Amino acid sequence: MKRFSISTLFCTLTLATLALAGCKKDEVVAAPPTVSLEFEQTVGADLLVLDTKTYTTLAGDQFRISIFRQYISNIVFTKTDGSTYAVPDSYYLLDAAKPDSRHLTLTGVPAGDYKGITFTIGVDSVHNVSGVQKGALDPNNNMFWTWNSGYIFTKLEGYSAQSTTSALTFHIGGFKAPNNTIRTVSPAFPSGMTLLVRADHSPEIHLNVDLLKLFSGPSTIRFATLSDVQSPGSNAVKVANNYAAGMYSVEHIHAN
């Protein structure tokens, strides 16, 4: 009878183990689908440039912008069959001074074919009265009125020769009637375009944000008569109605 040494037995077992491992198929865990939102901020046909570039409203007023921040929240996707998917805890602060804030990656959007997107410009009433919060809703982002217990949904500051003080200060907020400035928009996809969400690719929706729409639309804003809004009220409602009427548009969709 032949005797096997311990080293021979070890080599035999090792080879057997490697052979079995080689027979197994590699198990690949698919990453959850993601959808990216890219927000390009413009003023009419021009890119937004803070502090140095002068723009002109449709009414003829010249102005520069030093600060622009705006909340978007409660993102909902609509499938081609009419069903919807609401992105949980979707609260984001777009800041013109922080390019990374204008690129959002949404993880967990179910695979499917989508025909539309809806979101809120501002912060819903529940979160306006939910006390100190974190992330985009952290009061340290300087988008919260401590004296009024509510968020500033849109903040634009800048300069204009037409303003009686040379300054522009538009702090738009308010969630109580009759001065509720929460607005929900559904910018249409380009004709014939569908958002295809799959595990093997991550599509991107490219949106344009036209700041010129703050000052034109249902109401024409002239800086000689309105250049300072820092509390909820009828003037804040005018500006909110303006930007809800067409500030956001979907430029194109990348399949990736």
Side-chain angles (χ1 to χ4, degrees):
M1 181 180 293
K2 293 184 178 180
R3 294 183 179 179
F4 292 94
S5 67
I6 292 177
S7 60
T8 300
L9 180 60
F10 176 78
C11 290
T12 302
L13 291 173
T14 301
L15 290 173
T17 301
L18 291 174
L20 288 172
C23 292
K24 292 183 178 180
K25 293 182 179 180
D26 293 333
E27 295 182 0
V28 178
V29 179
T34 64
V35 175
S36 296
L37 305 181
E38 184 75 29
F39 296 88
E40 183 177 61
Q41 296 170 335
T42 63
V43 184
D46 299 318
L47 288 174
L48 172 61
V49 178
L50 296 179
D51 295 314
T52 59
K53 189 172 179 61
T54 299
Y55 304 97
T56 304
T57 68
L58 296 181
D61 292 345
Q62 285 77 46
F63 66 105
R64 287 178 286 136
I65 299 172
S66 58
I67 293 173
F68 180 72
R69 301 182 192 130
Q70 188 170 61
Y71 278 109
I72 70 161
S73 61
N74 297 308
I75 300 171
V76 177
F77 292 99
T78 301
K79 285 187 174 182
T80 54
D81 64 5
S83 61
T84 60
Y85 171 72
V87 180
D89 298 318
S90 49
Y91 296 88
Y92 304 97
L93 180 59
L94 309 183
D95 188 339
K98 299 178 180 179
D100 288 348
S101 74
R102 306 194 302 272
H103 184 92
L104 311 181
T105 300
L106 309 177
T107 303
V109 178
D113 298 354
Y114 294 84
K115 65 178 181 180
I117 183 172
T118 297
F119 53 85
T120 295
I121 302 174
V123 179
D124 55 78
S125 58
V126 172
H127 283 77
N128 268 280
V129 296
S130 294
V132 176
Q133 297 168 74
K134 298 180 179 180
L137 298 177
D138 190 325
N140 289 325
N141 290 320
N142 295 317
M143 292 290 286
F144 191 80
W145 284 312
T146 54
W147 56 268
N148 197 51
S149 298
Y151 284 94
I152 301 169
F153 304 152
T154 298
K155 177 182 283 189
L156 182 145
E157 296 180 5
Y159 314 91
S160 174
Q162 283 72 46
S163 167
T164 56
T165 63
S166 297
L168 297 180
T169 307
F170 289 92
H171 295 182
I172 309 304
F175 61 95
K176 299 177 182 178
N179 299 314
N180 181 7
T181 58
I182 299 171
R183 297 292 180 268
T184 298
V185 297
S186 300
F189 287 177
S191 179
M193 292 294 295
T194 302
L195 179 71
L196 304 178
V197 180
R198 304 287 188 271
D200 58 350
H201 65 275
S202 302
E204 178 180 283
I205 303 175
H206 190 279
L207 297 103
N208 176 246
V209 188
D210 184 358
L211 277 63
L212 208 58
K213 298 297 175 67
L214 276 78
F215 310 120
S216 63
S219 300
T220 298
I221 307 298
R222 300 303 303 266
F223 299 145
T225 56
L226 183 59
S227 61
D228 191 331
V229 180
Q230 297 191 61
S231 63
S234 59
N235 286 329
V237 170
K238 287 180 181 178
V239 177
N241 287 341
N242 277 355
Y243 60 63
M247 185 178 189
Y248 283 83
S249 60
V250 176
E251 295 293 300
H252 53 263
I253 298 174
H254 291 299
N256 288 349

